[in-house]
Coordinates of all heavy atoms in Angstrom, one line a residue:
N1 N -21.2 -7.1 41.8 CA -22.0 -8.2 41.5 C -21.5 -9.1 40.4 O -21.6 -10.3 40.4 CB -23.5 -7.7 41.1 CG -24.2 -7.1 42.3 OD1 -23.9 -7.5 43.4 ND2 -25.2 -6.3 42.0
I2 N -20.8 -8.5 39.4 CA -20.2 -9.3 38.3 C -18.9 -9.8 38.7 O -18.6 -11.0 38.4 CB -20.1 -8.4 37.1 CG1 -21.5 -8.0 36.5 CG2 -19.3 -9.1 36.0 CD1 -21.4 -7.1 35.3
G3 N -18.0 -9.0 39.3 CA -16.6 -9.4 39.6 C -16.4 -10.1 40.9 O -15.9 -11.2 40.9
G4 N -16.9 -9.4 42.0 CA -16.8 -10.0 43.3 C -15.4 -10.1 43.8 O -15.1 -10.8 44.8
S5 N -14.4 -9.4 43.2 CA -13.0 -9.5 43.6 C -12.8 -8.6 44.8 O -13.6 -7.7 45.2 CB -12.1 -9.0 42.4 OG -12.3 -7.6 42.2
V6 N -11.6 -8.8 45.4 CA -11.3 -7.9 46.6 C -11.2 -6.4 46.1 O -11.7 -5.6 46.9 CB -9.9 -8.3 47.1 CG1 -9.4 -7.3 48.2 CG2 -9.9 -9.7 47.7
N7 N -10.7 -6.2 44.9 CA -10.7 -4.8 44.4 C -12.1 -4.2 44.3 O -12.3 -3.0 44.7 CB -10.0 -4.8 43.0 CG -9.8 -3.4 42.5 OD1 -9.3 -2.5 43.2 ND2 -10.3 -3.2 41.3
C8 N -13.0 -5.0 43.8 CA -14.4 -4.5 43.7 C -15.0 -4.1 45.1 O -15.6 -3.1 45.3 CB -15.3 -5.5 43.1 SG -15.0 -5.7 41.3
F9 N -14.7 -5.0 46.1 CA -15.2 -4.7 47.5 C -14.5 -3.5 48.0 O -15.1 -2.6 48.6 CB -14.9 -5.9 48.4 CG -15.9 -7.0 48.3 CD1 -15.6 -8.2 47.7 CD2 -17.1 -6.8 48.9 CE1 -16.6 -9.2 47.6 CE2 -18.1 -7.9 48.9 CZ -17.8 -9.0 48.2
D10 N -13.2 -3.3 47.7 CA -12.4 -2.2 48.2 C -12.9 -0.9 47.7 O -13.0 0.1 48.4 CB -10.9 -2.3 47.9 CG -10.2 -3.3 48.8 OD1 -10.8 -3.7 49.9 OD2 -9.1 -3.7 48.5
K11 N -13.3 -0.9 46.4 CA -13.8 0.3 45.7 C -15.1 0.8 46.4 O -15.3 2.0 46.7 CB -14.0 0.1 44.2 CG -12.8 -0.1 43.4 CD -11.9 1.1 43.3 CE -10.7 0.9 42.3 NZ -9.9 2.0 42.2
L12 N -16.0 -0.2 46.7 CA -17.3 0.2 47.3 C -17.1 0.6 48.7 O -17.7 1.6 49.2 CB -18.2 -1.0 47.2 CG -19.7 -0.7 47.7 CD1 -20.3 0.4 47.0 CD2 -20.5 -2.0 47.6
T13 N -16.1 0.0 49.4 CA -15.8 0.3 50.8 C -15.3 1.8 50.9 O -15.7 2.6 51.7 CB -14.8 -0.6 51.4 OG1 -15.4 -1.9 51.5 CG2 -14.4 -0.2 52.9
N14 N -14.3 2.1 50.0 CA -13.7 3.4 50.0 C -14.8 4.5 49.7 O -14.8 5.6 50.2 CB -12.6 3.4 49.0 CG -11.4 2.6 49.4 OD1 -11.2 2.3 50.6 ND2 -10.6 2.2 48.4
F15 N -15.7 4.1 48.8 CA -16.8 5.0 48.4 C -17.6 5.3 49.6 O -17.9 6.5 49.9 CB -17.6 4.4 47.3 CG -19.0 5.1 47.1 CD1 -19.0 6.4 46.4 CD2 -20.1 4.6 47.6 CE1 -20.2 7.1 46.3 CE2 -21.3 5.3 47.4 CZ -21.4 6.5 46.7
Y16 N -18.0 4.3 50.4 CA -18.8 4.5 51.6 C -18.1 5.4 52.6 O -18.7 6.2 53.3 CB -19.2 3.2 52.2 CG -20.3 2.5 51.4 CD1 -20.3 1.1 51.2 CD2 -21.4 3.2 50.9 CE1 -21.3 0.4 50.5 CE2 -22.4 2.5 50.2 CZ -22.3 1.1 50.0 OH -23.3 0.5 49.3
E17 N -16.8 5.1 52.8 CA -16.0 5.9 53.7 C -16.0 7.4 53.2 O -16.1 8.3 54.0 CB -14.6 5.4 53.9 CG -14.6 4.1 54.7 CD -13.2 3.8 55.2 OE1 -12.6 4.5 56.0 OE2 -12.6 2.8 54.7
N18 N -15.8 7.6 52.0 CA -15.7 9.0 51.4 C -17.1 9.7 51.6 O -17.1 10.9 51.7 CB -15.3 8.9 49.9 CG -13.9 8.5 49.7 OD1 -13.1 8.6 50.6 ND2 -13.6 8.0 48.5
Q19 N -18.1 8.9 51.6 CA -19.5 9.4 51.7 C -19.9 9.5 53.2 O -21.0 9.8 53.5 CB -20.5 8.6 51.0 CG -20.3 8.6 49.5 CD -20.5 10.0 48.9 OE1 -21.4 10.7 49.1 NE2 -19.5 10.4 48.0
Q20 N -19.0 9.2 54.1 CA -19.2 9.3 55.6 C -20.4 8.3 55.9 O -21.3 8.6 56.7 CB -19.6 10.7 56.0 CG -18.5 11.7 55.7 CD -17.2 11.5 56.4 OE1 -17.2 11.4 57.6 NE2 -16.1 11.4 55.7
Q21 N -20.3 7.1 55.4 CA -21.3 6.1 55.7 C -20.6 4.8 56.2 O -20.5 3.8 55.6 CB -22.0 5.7 54.4 CG -22.9 6.8 53.8 CD -23.6 6.5 52.5 OE1 -23.0 5.9 51.6 NE2 -24.8 6.8 52.4
P22 N -20.1 4.9 57.5 CA -19.2 3.9 58.0 C -20.0 2.6 58.2 O -19.4 1.5 58.1 CB -18.7 4.4 59.3 CG -19.7 5.5 59.7 CD -20.1 6.1 58.4
E23 N -21.2 2.6 58.6 CA -22.0 1.4 58.8 C -22.1 0.5 57.5 O -21.9 -0.7 57.5 CB -23.4 1.7 59.3 CG -23.5 2.5 60.6 CD -23.2 1.7 61.8 OE1 -23.1 0.4 61.7 OE2 -23.2 2.2 62.9
K24 N -22.3 1.2 56.4 CA -22.3 0.5 55.1 C -20.9 0.0 54.8 O -20.8 -1.1 54.2 CB -22.8 1.5 54.0 CG -24.3 1.7 54.0 CD -24.7 2.5 52.7 CE -26.2 2.6 52.6 NZ -26.6 3.4 51.4
A25 N -19.9 0.8 55.1 CA -18.5 0.3 54.8 C -18.2 -1.0 55.6 O -17.7 -1.9 55.0 CB -17.5 1.4 55.2

């Protein structure tokens, strides 16, 4: 929400994948 960079998006995407939440990813 603060940064909005590609890196920030990637971190959240990787988190969702690690949590087995592909729809959110």
Side-chain angles (χ1 to χ4, degrees):
N1 290 336
I2 291 177
S5 67
V6 172
N7 183 50
C8 289
F9 277 107
D10 285 345
K11 294 290 186 182
L12 186 56
T13 296
N14 292 337
F15 167 75
Y16 285 139
E17 287 197 68
N18 291 337
Q19 295 298 311
Q20 304 295 306
Q21 296 178 314
E23 301 283 357
K24 284 188 174 182

